[in-house]
Amino acid sequence: MAPIPDQLINTYELGPDKERVQHEVSVARTGEKVIQILSTEELIQQHLQNIHHIDECSRDSNTRWAKQITIPNAYAPSMVPLEKLQQIPLSALALETHHRGSFITASTITPAYQFSTTTTLVQDASNTVAVLVLGFQDDSVTPIPQNSTVAIKEPYVKYHESAGWIIRVDHPSDIAVLRGDDPAVTMIMKFVKEKRDVSGEEWRKQGDGAFLEGKFGSAVECYTQALSDSLSKENLHSSQDVYRKRAFANLMSQRYQQAKEDSLASCSGTDLDAKAYFTAGKACYALRSFVESKTYLEKALELNPSDMKARKELNRVLIRLEEHNTGNYDFARMIQEQESNIWLDHADFTSKVEVRPTNYAGRGLFTTKDVEGGELLMCEKAFCLPNQYTGDEASDTVLFNFNNGTRTQKSGQALVFQNLVQQLYKNPEISKVFYDLDSGSYVRNGDEGKVVDGVPVVDAFLVESIRLKNCFSAPKLSRNLLKRNCPAHETNLTTAIWHKASYTNHSCVPNCGRAFIGDFMTLRALHAIPAGTELTHQYSAPDASTLFRREAYLSNWDFDCTCRLCAGEKKIPDENHVKRTELAKKIKAEAMKFSANGRTISMTNVKAIEKMMRKLEDMYEPSIYASLPRLLLVHPSIWLMEASRKANNTSKMVKFAIEVLKNFGFGSKIVDAVNEKVELDWEGGIVNTEVFNSLRNAAEGYDELGRSELAEGCRSAARRMYVVLAGCDVGIEKFFSGNLDN
């Protein structure tokens, strides 16, 4: 084989534009029989060159390649058991065809390439060689090793510029792999070659060896073979021992439902059952079935009262049940824990909310009892959250979806898709709650999560459709965003799914607010809410331009917002909105010019911006906006507030801080100067960090002006907002003393 050249093109990293061109060529050649245009040696050399190239890039600190993951045009996963399919050779495959009713088998003849995809070369019994591309990835295991055997159900074939054609697998349930490095597979091959049966005892010993090597999936397979042996079936004690071992292996493989079932199957009515109940309790804890976990751990302690591990686990369960039943959390501890591990060990609290049908948008989240402003409505652990927090810098993982033309902007968005696919594949018991979420216009087959050939069917395209409609962007700690001088890295965001929270519909003027502590989301009421009321929050911060908002909500979430702000603004001719938006852009440009390059802003500059803002203010229709936010005025009033603060003009700063509150909808008469009172219309206003900081500025300004009661009124309102925006009241006093502002 020729040496690998120094300069080469990576034929596996094409990028979305070239992928799209290849797709168009593939569609144009639909039905053509595949032709191997390169020899086996040439395919192998090209494959090894690509591996060498990506290895070199990973070692070069000056080169940063972005993973460019593409989701091709959607096709349905196979729902047919392997035994009902007809085997065909690779040479019988055709381009752009889903070979329904057929399957192929082949062996991997190279190490796997892994970057944007997992790619390897496979060869069938007739020596035909093909490029196999897996569109999904599982970073928890090594890629498919050489000398593995694969079976692909109803394979899908696409044109490829350099290789001629590829087999593309996007659904993990469409492929079965007998790994070449799996002790169970090695043992099977050995005894097939020797033409002799393997005893249950031999399988058990092989499973023990695999477990000790940390190959838990292989251990599970060996123990399964041992249980299927006739001798094991006849020997109840032996079977119970193998069930017990397989339970531990499943627990270590994070297959918790199977671990629970095996633990209970191992019970013999003796004191040995203490270990079985302990394992079942651990598995139920991992499944977040805390009541069931408590039951099994108590049984373990009945059989072995001195088991300190079981006692410790039971105490942990009791704390989780307290959280679940009462909503009483140690938020200070949670904040401390997320600094080292974002995946927190706490229970969900959701008893104050429930999912119900709405009369306008499918389903929504409703209160089950009366709640007060600031009260905790829900605290929920993320269904899936990758530890990938990024800012505005270029993403190192980009996801392109050919079905809707979307392109992700954050690495976390691509990772949450990949993680969801693997999570649903490994733990089918959790799939029901996920597949119940909205998937937009994607056409479902109705069998989501159905188990075929012992594995759950996972439709990767459905997973992405659900992700697009239900994802949240989240910081590690929302409290940090309230800092005046928040470091850039603390503003970084990831993307995640929260199951229950996903049912909350949008309103530009919502009645509850969310915050994040690690992988937990809190939802708190912004004001008093009666039982049976639908809860709403903002899908994204409402843009000042109503025309922009309408387009964004339709294109991203397929709905037309009917909140009272949008309903009011629809009564106004679009040309009025356009004129206001144009003036707002001019004000922003002028303000940025005054602030450019660290220039000192003069009071003359302030007067100029204020004059323009008053002109914009006069363009608002009083009959419509008497009790509505005037969002185009928000940016100018914030700029004027901050400019006055930097100029040490306290009176002006306070004046514009109150105007920020008015423009966000908190009322036209917020300050009663005669009676020294501050009153906010909590039902009419939009709670966010800008309003919080405006209240802080106003409080500090009133202190300087000797208006202590007004200062305390602003500070009291800011404290109430802090609890909503931070998720809890931890650190509130330090915050207002300025000790947490950096």
Side-chain angles (χ1 to χ4, degrees):
M1 186 178 295
I4 297 173
D6 293 331
Q7 302 296 324
L8 53 91
I9 297 174
N10 191 325
T11 61
Y12 294 158
E13 300 295 330
L14 301 180
D17 294 335
K18 208 159 193 176
E19 289 262 17
R20 196 179 298 277
V21 170
Q22 284 197 161
H23 172 70
E24 292 171 357
V25 173
S26 192
V27 170
R29 297 175 60 178
T30 297
E32 289 185 17
K33 290 294 182 182
V34 297
I35 300 174
Q36 190 167 327
I37 62 174
L38 297 179
S39 68
T40 298
E41 291 74 18
E42 289 171 326
L43 281 171
I44 291 174
Q45 178 167 333
Q46 186 179 85
H47 180 80
L48 295 178
Q49 285 176 351
N50 290 336
I51 292 176
H52 173 73
H53 178 262
I54 209 65
D55 286 346
E56 287 295 305
C57 288
S58 65
R59 284 192 288 268
D60 183 359
S61 59
N62 296 319
T63 304
R64 187 184 179 193
W65 268 46
K67 290 183 179 179
Q68 300 189 86
I69 301 168
T70 57
I71 298 179
N73 287 52
Y75 62 93
S78 176
M79 302 297 298
V80 185
L82 191 63
E83 64 183 8
K84 293 186 178 181
L85 298 175
Q86 180 73 36
Q87 184 174 0
I88 59 174
L90 295 180
S91 58
L93 298 174
L95 290 176
E96 205 59 37
T97 301
H98 302 284
H99 298 78
R100 300 303 183 189
S102 303
F103 78 96
I104 57 174
T105 61
S107 299
T108 58
I109 59 173
T110 58
Y113 170 96
Q114 190 165 32
F115 193 62
S116 295
T117 61
T118 297
T119 305
T120 190
L121 298 185
V122 295
Q123 186 175 48
D124 69 0
S126 63
N127 293 325
T128 302
V129 176
V131 177
L132 171 62
V133 177
L134 305 184
F136 58 90
Q137 291 191 21
D138 182 4
D139 291 334
S140 67
V141 297
T142 55
I144 301 175
Q146 195 169 344
N147 300 320
S148 297
T149 300
V150 300
I152 302 170
K153 300 196 298 183
E154 302 185 317
Y156 173 42
V157 178
K158 294 187 69 66
Y159 167 79
H160 190 270
E161 184 179 61
S162 63
W165 57 284
I166 61 171
I167 302 167
R168 169 100 189 189
V169 180
D170 290 282
H171 311 294
S173 48
D174 282 356
I175 183 170
V177 181
L178 295 177
R179 295 176 60 91
D181 61 352
D182 188 330
V185 174
T186 302
M187 191 170 179
I188 291 171
M189 296 303 183
K190 175 184 176 183
F191 291 117
V192 166
K193 186 176 181 179
E194 295 175 359
K195 297 182 179 180
R196 72 178 181 87
D197 294 330
V198 187
S199 70
E201 179 61 18
E202 287 176 296
W203 279 117
R204 185 190 64 77
K205 289 181 178 179
Q206 192 71 21
D208 291 346
F211 187 94
L212 291 174
E213 292 178 18
K215 297 179 178 179
F216 304 117
S218 179
V220 168
E221 180 58 33
C222 290
Y223 293 140
T224 301
Q225 294 293 335
L227 287 168
S228 66
D229 181 74
S230 59
L231 291 176
S232 294
K233 291 178 181 177
E234 294 169 5
N235 188 333
L236 181 61
H237 176 74
S238 175
S239 294
Q240 289 167 338
D241 180 58
V242 176
Y243 273 121
R244 194 175 298 113
K245 291 174 180 289
R246 193 172 72 173
F248 280 119
N250 273 317
L251 191 66
M252 298 303 294
S253 298
Q254 298 182 352
R255 299 178 185 272
Y256 301 118
Q257 184 66 27
Q258 296 93 320
K260 183 189 83 169
E261 292 170 359
D262 282 349
S263 296
L264 299 179
S266 74
C267 288
S268 59
T270 67
D271 289 348
L272 287 175
D273 292 351
K275 290 184 177 180
Y277 288 131
F278 176 78
T279 304
K282 290 269 288 183
C284 288
Y285 189 98
L287 290 169
R288 303 182 65 73
S289 300
F290 299 120
V291 172
E292 196 174 2
S293 178
K294 175 176 176 285
T295 299
Y296 292 131
L297 290 170
E298 286 175 340
K299 286 184 177 181
L301 285 167
E302 286 176 12
L303 294 172
N304 185 5
S306 62
D307 187 342
M308 298 308 296
K309 287 185 178 180
R311 181 73 59 189
K312 182 179 179 180
E313 287 299 315
L314 179 59
N315 289 337
R316 191 160 65 123
V317 169
L318 293 176
I319 295 172
R320 298 292 85 81
L321 288 173
E322 171 72 10
E323 293 169 341
H324 174 75
N325 294 330
T326 67
N328 293 330
Y329 290 87
D330 186 345
F331 284 114
R333 182 172 182 176
M334 292 173 71
I335 290 172
Q336 185 178 21
E337 289 171 343
Q338 62 82 35
E339 293 178 0
S340 57
N341 184 1
I342 59 167
W343 298 295
L344 305 183
D345 180 16
H346 295 276
D348 293 343
F349 171 68
T350 59
S351 62
K352 293 181 183 177
V353 299
E354 66 180 5
V355 178
R356 296 184 196 170
T358 70
N359 57 8
Y360 70 98
R363 293 165 295 177
L365 202 63
F366 291 77
T367 53
T368 59
K369 56 185 69 176
D370 296 345
V371 294
E372 297 299 320
E375 189 172 334
L376 183 67
L377 293 162
M378 184 176 73
C379 187
E380 182 182 19
K381 185 177 178 67
F383 184 88
C384 180
L385 182 146
N387 187 11
Q388 186 74 22
Y389 293 84
T390 56
D392 295 329
E393 68 272 12
S395 174
D396 60 2
T397 306
V398 184
L399 182 68
F400 298 88
N401 190 333
F402 286 176
N403 297 280
N404 53 24
T406 59
R407 175 189 187 278
T408 63
Q409 301 300 313
K410 303 287 185 181
S411 299
Q413 294 173 312
L415 290 176
V416 78
F417 161 68
Q418 292 183 322
N419 292 354
L420 279 168
V421 170
Q422 288 303 321
Q423 195 169 321
L424 294 165
Y425 184 66
K426 291 180 178 179
N427 294 285
E429 64 279 352
I430 67 172
S431 63
K432 185 179 184 302
V433 295
F434 177 78
Y435 289 132
D436 192 48
L437 296 174
D438 178 33
S439 58
S441 59
Y442 188 85
V443 179
R444 303 182 182 223
N445 61 23
D447 288 324
E448 293 81 22
K450 180 180 179 181
V451 175
V452 178
D453 291 327
V455 298
V457 174
V458 176
D459 183 340
F461 303 106
L462 172 59
V463 171
E464 173 61 2
S465 296
I466 292 174
R467 183 198 72 80
L468 283 170
K469 297 298 179 186
N470 297 278
C471 259
F472 293 86
S473 293
K476 283 186 179 180
L477 189 63
S478 290
R479 184 181 75 177
N480 290 338
L481 304 184
L482 302 179
K483 297 177 181 179
R484 281 187 174 135
N485 304 305
C486 184
H489 72 275
E490 292 183 355
T491 67
N492 289 347
L493 304 174
T494 190
T495 304
I497 295 278
W498 280 267
H499 166 248
K500 185 81 75 171
S502 292
Y503 290 101
T504 315
N505 287 313
H506 167 84
S507 172
C508 297
V509 188
N511 57 13
C512 61
R514 63 181 180 268
F516 303 95
I517 303 172
D519 67 337
F520 271 78
M521 177 197 292
T522 63
L523 203 65
R524 289 185 180 270
L526 298 180
H527 51 78
I529 304 174
T533 302
E534 184 182 4
L535 298 171
T536 57
H537 61 179
Q538 294 175 347
Y539 283 8
S540 61
D543 191 272
S545 168
T546 184
L547 300 180
F548 180 87
R549 291 203 312 274
R550 286 182 210 169
E551 174 60 29
Y553 297 148
L554 281 171
S555 61
N556 293 329
W557 293 286
D558 299 323
F559 74 86
D560 183 20
C561 185
T562 58
C563 75
R564 63 189 189 87
L565 174 59
C566 290
E569 291 185 324
K570 285 174 186 174
K571 298 175 183 177
I572 301 168
D574 285 356
E575 62 184 47
N576 291 22
H577 292 302
V578 171
K579 289 178 181 177
R580 273 199 294 268
T581 301
E582 289 175 351
L583 178 55
K585 288 179 179 178
K586 289 179 181 178
I587 297 173
K588 186 174 183 178
E590 195 72 8
M592 291 177 68
K593 184 176 71 174
F594 290 150
S595 307
N597 302 319
R599 291 169 56 183
T600 300
I601 300 171
S602 68
M603 292 312 296
T604 301
N605 299 149
V606 170
K607 288 179 181 178
I609 296 298
E610 183 178 7
K611 183 178 179 180
M612 295 178 74
M613 186 180 78
R614 298 306 172 205
K615 183 178 179 181
L616 177 60
E617 197 172 58
D618 291 339
M619 295 175 70
Y620 275 90
E621 295 81 357
S623 60
I624 300 293
Y625 287 97
S627 60
L628 290 177
R630 300 174 298 176
L631 297 180
L632 285 170
L633 289 167
V634 165
H635 180 271
S637 53
I638 290 176
W639 187 92
L640 288 166
M641 174 186 68
E642 291 299 332
S644 299
R645 186 170 74 89
K646 291 175 182 177
N648 295 317
N649 191 324
T650 304
S651 296
K652 285 277 190 181
M653 179 191 73
V654 170
K655 171 188 172 182
F656 292 124
I658 299 303
E659 291 205 28
V660 173
L661 303 181
K662 291 178 180 179
N663 292 329
F664 270 119
F666 285 94
S668 58
K669 293 184 178 180
I670 293 173
V671 176
D672 181 349
V674 175
N675 296 307
E676 296 281 311
K677 289 184 179 180
V678 175
E679 294 185 2
L680 273 63
D681 177 5
W682 290 94
E683 294 188 22
I686 300 173
V687 173
N688 52 36
T689 56
E690 290 85 356
V691 174
F692 173 78
N693 284 320
S694 298
L695 282 166
R696 288 182 72 191
N697 285 338
E700 292 168 6
Y702 280 128
D703 276 333
E704 288 183 28
L705 296 171
R707 308 291 294 274
S708 58
E709 291 187 25
L710 289 177
E712 185 53 36
C714 290
R715 200 170 286 113
S716 176
R719 283 193 177 95
R720 177 170 166 176
M721 284 191 190
Y722 177 96
V723 173
V724 173
L725 296 171
C728 62
D729 63 358
V730 176
I732 192 167
E733 295 308 324
K734 286 185 177 180
F735 219 97
F736 282 96
S737 67
N739 292 334
L740 287 179
D741 261 337
N742 294 293

